[in-house]
């Protein structure tokens, strides 16, 4: 983790995990996934509601939580476990 990345993550980290997961997970990842997987390459047996729950909700939250954990691990490694 470079100095710029460290400073950026410290700022994002200060805003909290919930905000990170909601913004980067659900909005920045989950919403585009939902739109693509629902309207561009739809699954023949999923309704729009099921697709929203699966791609926007579960995939978005999973991505946000996963990325938070990866970044936290990198941050703590550089900062000496702070």
């Amino acid at each position: 983790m470079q100095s710029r990345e460290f400073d950026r993550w410290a700022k994002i980290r200060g805003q909290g995990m919930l905000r990170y997961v909601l913004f980067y997970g659900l909005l920045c990842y989950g919403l585009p996934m939902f739109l693509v997987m629902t309207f561009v390459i739809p699954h023949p047996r999923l309704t729009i509601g099921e697709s929203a729950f699966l791609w926007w909700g579960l995939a978005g939250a999973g991505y946000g939580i996963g990325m938070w954990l990866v970044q936290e691990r990198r941050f703590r490694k550089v900062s000496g476990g702070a």
Side-chain angles (χ1 to χ4, degrees), residues 6-7 9-10 12-13 23 28 31 36-37 39-40 45 49 52 56 68-70 73 75-76 82:
F6 184 87
D7 294 339
W9 182 249
I12 291 171
R13 184 178 194 245
F23 182 75
C28 293
L31 181 58
V36 168
M37 299 304 286
F39 301 110
V40 178
R45 288 184 234 139
W56 195 354
W68 174 271
L69 295 174
V70 167
R73 183 173 165 214
F75 182 83
R76 289 181 182 184

Side-chain angles (χ1 to χ4, degrees), residues 52-66:
F53 175 73
L54 179 65
W55 299 117
W56 195 354
L58 292 181
Y63 176 82
I65 291 168

Side-chain angles (χ1 to χ4, degrees), residues 9-26:
W9 182 249
K11 182 180 175 184
I12 291 171
R13 184 178 194 245
Q15 296 173 352
M17 182 180 181
L18 180 61
R19 182 175 174 152
Y20 180 85
V21 170
L22 291 175
F23 182 75
Y24 291 99
L26 294 177

